[in-house]
């Protein structure tokens, strides 16, 4: 498919080199005209900039080292055609992405994702503008924080399913977690139509999610400068998964975006649709008008509900299981609090949360200790700017180093230690300690609108698991403890390498509670 021949490839490479050289000259000229220096950063080669310095894994740690080396909370990197601005402190991220959000709220072109793969309709990757605003409004209107009945009932239902799966097949806990989160999100989005084809939709959504994760790596953004090379070079940058034709990408997108939407429409016609985002959004449309554009918006929003939450929540809960396996004392403290407040005769409810400060602190520490998104999704600056005496060129890709912010030892002493107590004072949550949620869900106008859903889902799952199960280090057939390595895989979504843990009911009433046995 990509055997294009030497003359074709050579022509395109010459074309690309010419464009990059022009961009390089224009960038030098704009910096000279600005009168301000660029932020500090590693030395740059002519034309190539820092192309050969860019890290391929655990980028956040490398960026943080450079920030320390150059004693600056904002650093500049350049690659052919693109300037990267790394924000290594909360102050810099807040000053630019929050306080100057009017010019820092757009996104890169994401040529591979949007042009090659056909995902330009996905909200997180859309440029800031009218199309993005319409979809953001639709999402916020249905999943407003005050409208929690729409998602909490689904979260309770799917948490109950998870507990039963952990009871009957604990070794596949990670698969159960992913299916619980994904199934719950699909149910919120499509209702009972998703339940009927749940396994197929989950598998499809997981495939799409993995493609998106691969497609948003820094290497693919290099192609934004020369989009004509995207289809040729994207398979080399992100692997064999991208060796698909236009027709294959279109079919994947249609199966993910269009088919479940049509299923809901058919069930509504038959009077069989259950409450869901899609059903409610369709109910609000005028009957007599042409609603093609509104249908497109609904499909777009529905597609992002799953993608936006499944990978991040799954990774965070994977970290929760690791922390409970490694730190049994922390687990015991949370369970003592649950037994004291909830007891062992019922499962936790959302009403219990205000009376469970240690559990709340534990969840905050899970989010902080191993941030699921060590680097924030990239923003794009729309016009030249100056910050702290440094010139930031228009069209710079601006990335917040979330990992560095959440490992700042001034805010979180001894940040590498898993310590829920850092969020407590006199037995209550200490509001003077920054909540990691203020960082992990993004900044400014591009902050995640589903933060409250992520929080309530994680709360009810973690509270219910700790009420009914003990998570421990397993032993092999020879009685040797199988300690997890605690290592993580580098990626857009940060999660532990697979590990085994022992999951067993922690008291005599646990199994009856899980099975709903009143006797």
């Amino acid at each position: 498919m990509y055997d294009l021949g030497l003359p074709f490839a050579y022509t395109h490479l010459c074309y690309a080199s010419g464009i990059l050289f022009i961009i390089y000259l224009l960038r030098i000229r704009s910096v000279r005209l600005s009168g301000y220096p660029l932020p500090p950063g590693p030395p740059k080669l002519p034309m190539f900039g820092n192309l050969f310095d860019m890290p391929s894994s655990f980028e956040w740690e490398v960026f943080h080292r450079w920030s320390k080396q150059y004693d600056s909370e904002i650093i500049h990197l350049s690659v052919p055609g693109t300037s990267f601005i790394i924000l290594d402190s909360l102050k810099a991220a807040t000053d630019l992405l929050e306080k100057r959000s009017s010019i820092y709220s757009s996104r890169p072109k994401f040529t591979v994702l949007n042009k090659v793969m056909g995902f330009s309709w996905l909200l997180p990757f859309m440029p800031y503008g009218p199309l993005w605003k319409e979809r953001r409004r639709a999402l916020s209107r249905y999943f407003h924080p005050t409208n929690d009945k729409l998602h909490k009932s689904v979260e309770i239902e799917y948490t109950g399913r998870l507990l039963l799966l952990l009871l009957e097949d604990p070794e596949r806990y990670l698969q159960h977690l992913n299916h619980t989160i994904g199934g719950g999100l699909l149910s919120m989005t499509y209702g009972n139509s998703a339940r009927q084809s749940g396994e197929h939709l989950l598998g499809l959504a997981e495939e799409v999610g993995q493609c998106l994760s691969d497609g948003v790596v820094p290497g693919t953004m290099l192609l934004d400068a020369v989009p004509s090379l995207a289809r040729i070079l994207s398979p080399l940058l992100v692997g064999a998964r991208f060796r698909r034709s236009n027709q294959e990408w279109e079919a994947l997108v249609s199966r993910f975006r269009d088919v479940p939407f049509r299923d809901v429409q058919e069930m509504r016609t038959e009077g069989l649709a259950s409450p869901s985002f899609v059903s409610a959004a369709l109910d609000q449309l005028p009957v007599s008008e042409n609603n093609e554009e509104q249908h497109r918006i609904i499909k777009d929003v529905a597609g992002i509900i799953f993608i936006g939450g499944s990978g991040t929540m799954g990774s965070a809960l994977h970290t929760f299981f690791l922390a409970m396996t490694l730190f049994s004392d922390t687990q015991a403290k949370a369970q003592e609090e649950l037994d004291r407040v909830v007891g062992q005769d019922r499962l936790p409810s959302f009403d219990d949360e205000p009376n469970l400060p240690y559990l709340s602190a534990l969840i905050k520490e899970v989010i902080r200790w191993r941030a699921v998104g060590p680097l924030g999704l990239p923003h794009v600056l729309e016009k030249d700017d100056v910050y702290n005496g440094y010139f930031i060129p228009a069209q710079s890709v601006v990335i917040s180093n979330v990992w560095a912010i959440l490992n700042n030892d001034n805010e979180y002493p001894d940040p590498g230690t898993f310590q829920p107590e850092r969020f407590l004072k006199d037995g209550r949550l200490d509001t003077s300690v920054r909540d990691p949620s203020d960082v992990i869900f993004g900044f400014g106008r591009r902050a995640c609108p589903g933060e409250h859903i992520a929080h309530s889902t994680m709360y009810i799952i973690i509270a219910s698991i700790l009420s009914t199960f003990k998570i421990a280090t397993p032993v092999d057939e020879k009685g040797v403890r199988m300690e997890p390595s605690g290592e993580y895989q580098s990626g857009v979504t940060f999660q532990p390498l697979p590990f085994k843990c022992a999951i067993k009911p922690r008291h005599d009433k646990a199994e009856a509670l899980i099975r709903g046995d009143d006797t």
Side-chain angles (χ1 to χ4, degrees):
M1 186 187 305
Y2 293 97
D3 184 12
L4 302 173
L6 180 61
F8 183 86
Y10 180 76
T11 299
H12 274 68
L13 288 174
C14 290
Y15 165 69
S17 299
I19 291 178
L20 295 178
F21 182 67
I22 293 171
I23 293 173
Y24 168 71
L25 293 178
L26 289 175
R27 180 158 292 129
I28 291 177
R29 181 175 183 271
S30 66
V31 172
R32 288 175 178 170
L33 290 175
S34 74
Y36 294 93
L38 291 167
K44 300 165 178 61
L45 295 173
M47 279 191 60
F48 294 102
N50 301 113
L51 179 63
F52 305 113
D53 299 320
M54 293 293 283
S56 59
S57 63
F58 297 94
E59 297 94 334
W60 45 92
E61 295 184 6
V62 178
F63 294 157
H64 184 57
R65 285 201 300 271
W66 284 338
S67 177
K68 294 293 186 184
Q69 178 181 347
Y70 296 102
D71 192 25
S72 177
E73 61 186 355
I74 171 173
I75 61 173
H76 175 265
L77 306 168
S78 71
V79 296
T82 306
S83 278
F84 284 86
I85 302 295
I86 311 299
L87 308 178
D88 204 68
S89 74
L90 180 62
K91 183 179 185 304
T94 302
D95 285 348
L96 299 183
L97 305 184
E98 292 271 359
K99 296 179 181 179
R100 304 185 190 182
S101 61
S102 61
I103 58 173
Y104 279 90
S105 293
S106 201
R107 293 290 195 213
K109 295 177 184 177
F110 289 122
T111 301
V112 171
L113 286 178
N114 293 337
K115 299 295 184 182
V116 176
M117 299 169 62
F119 285 104
S120 59
W121 52 273
L122 273 174
L123 189 68
F125 308 115
M126 278 187 173
Y128 185 74
L131 295 180
W132 178 85
K133 291 178 182 179
E134 286 178 332
R135 286 147 181 80
R136 177 67 177 247
R137 277 195 298 268
L139 181 58
S140 299
R141 183 166 56 246
Y142 186 81
F143 289 108
H144 194 274
T146 61
N147 201 14
D148 58 10
K149 291 181 181 178
L150 294 170
H151 60 90
K152 285 187 174 179
S153 60
V154 174
E155 292 161 6
I156 290 173
E157 175 190 349
Y158 277 81
T159 297
R161 296 186 184 189
L162 173 61
L163 296 179
L164 187 59
L165 289 169
L166 293 176
L167 179 67
E168 296 180 344
D169 186 12
E171 290 189 1
R172 295 201 299 164
Y173 74 95
L174 185 55
Q175 179 179 335
H176 302 328
L177 277 178
N178 292 334
H179 279 210
T180 294
I181 296 166
L185 290 169
L186 288 173
S187 180
M188 294 176 202
T189 307
Y190 301 107
N192 52 3
S193 66
R195 300 167 194 257
Q196 294 181 4
S197 54
E199 285 297 319
H200 167 71
L201 281 178
L202 282 174
L204 179 62
E206 287 171 3
E207 179 185 1
V208 170
Q210 187 58 59
C211 287
L212 292 173
S213 293
D214 290 347
V216 79
V217 296
T220 63
M221 282 183 276
L222 304 182
L223 297 175
D224 289 351
V226 192
S228 62
L229 290 181
R231 182 159 293 280
I232 300 171
L233 297 183
S234 57
L236 301 176
L237 289 171
V238 289
R241 182 181 286 110
F242 285 75
R243 297 182 186 276
R244 304 187 187 194
S245 66
N246 287 342
Q247 292 75 18
E248 288 172 320
W249 282 119
E250 289 171 3
L252 175 65
V253 169
S254 179
R255 292 199 308 273
F256 177 69
R257 177 174 176 259
D258 301 327
V259 172
F261 177 81
R262 287 199 297 267
D263 290 344
V264 177
Q265 285 182 305
E266 292 174 2
M267 296 195 77
R268 287 179 74 250
T269 301
E270 299 169 2
L272 301 174
S274 65
S276 68
F277 163 74
V278 171
S279 183
L282 289 172
D283 287 343
Q284 295 173 5
L285 297 182
V287 177
S288 58
E289 296 183 12
N290 182 350
N291 292 313
E292 183 177 348
E293 178 59 27
Q294 292 303 314
H295 284 184
R296 187 177 294 112
I297 293 172
I298 295 169
K299 285 191 285 187
D300 291 354
V301 175
I304 193 50
I305 293 172
F306 177 88
I307 293 298
S310 57
T312 52
M313 283 194 284
S315 298
L317 288 167
H318 198 180
T319 287
F320 159 73
F321 271 84
L322 176 64
M324 296 303 93
T325 305
L326 294 175
F327 311 116
S328 57
D329 290 348
T330 297
Q331 181 178 182
K333 290 177 183 178
Q335 289 170 331
E336 184 280 326
E337 182 182 67
L338 282 162
D339 288 346
R340 177 164 36 84
V341 174
V342 178
Q344 297 185 350
D345 296 319
R346 65 177 178 89
L347 291 173
S349 71
F350 287 107
D351 292 336
D352 296 316
E353 186 176 8
N355 301 315
L356 298 168
Y358 190 87
L359 182 72
S360 296
L362 185 150
I363 295 172
K364 293 179 190 295
E365 186 68 342
V366 165
I367 294 171
R368 185 208 66 82
W369 182 57
R370 297 289 186 266
V372 297
L375 295 177
L377 278 178
H379 293 229
V380 162
L381 173 62
E382 294 183 340
K383 64 179 184 179
D384 291 347
D385 195 18
V386 175
Y387 178 68
N388 282 358
Y390 293 124
F391 174 63
I392 306 177
Q395 300 306 307
S396 292
V397 175
V398 183
I399 300 175
S400 56
N401 192 341
V402 171
W403 178 86
I405 295 170
L406 295 181
N407 280 269
N408 184 327
D409 53 13
N410 291 322
E411 292 252 19
Y412 308 105
D414 193 13
T417 302
F418 187 84
Q419 186 181 346
E421 288 81 2
R422 72 175 75 248
F423 295 102
L424 297 170
K425 184 177 182 180
D426 300 327
R428 298 182 179 181
L429 286 174
D430 186 354
T431 56
S432 68
V433 180
R434 187 173 305 281
D435 190 334
S437 296
D438 295 343
V439 179
I440 200 69
F441 289 99
F443 297 93
R445 301 177 187 182
R446 302 307 295 237
C448 175
E451 175 183 346
H452 59 293
I453 298 176
H455 175 84
S456 60
T457 300
M458 287 190 61
Y459 160 76
I460 200 65
I461 288 178
I462 289 176
S464 300
I465 288 175
L466 290 180
S467 284
T468 51
F469 291 103
K470 180 179 180 180
I471 303 168
T473 303
V475 295
D476 62 19
E477 61 276 4
K478 297 180 180 179
V480 178
R481 289 168 60 86
M482 302 167 64
E483 294 282 356
S485 69
E487 295 179 359
Y488 276 65
Q489 59 187 24
S490 178
V492 176
T493 303
F494 196 50
Q495 60 181 320
L497 296 176
F499 64 92
K500 293 183 178 181
C501 59
I503 305 170
K504 298 178 180 179
R506 57 176 289 260
H507 55 74
D508 295 338
K509 300 178 182 179
E511 183 172 349
L513 280 175
I514 292 169
R515 295 188 183 280
D517 187 356
D518 296 329
T519 59

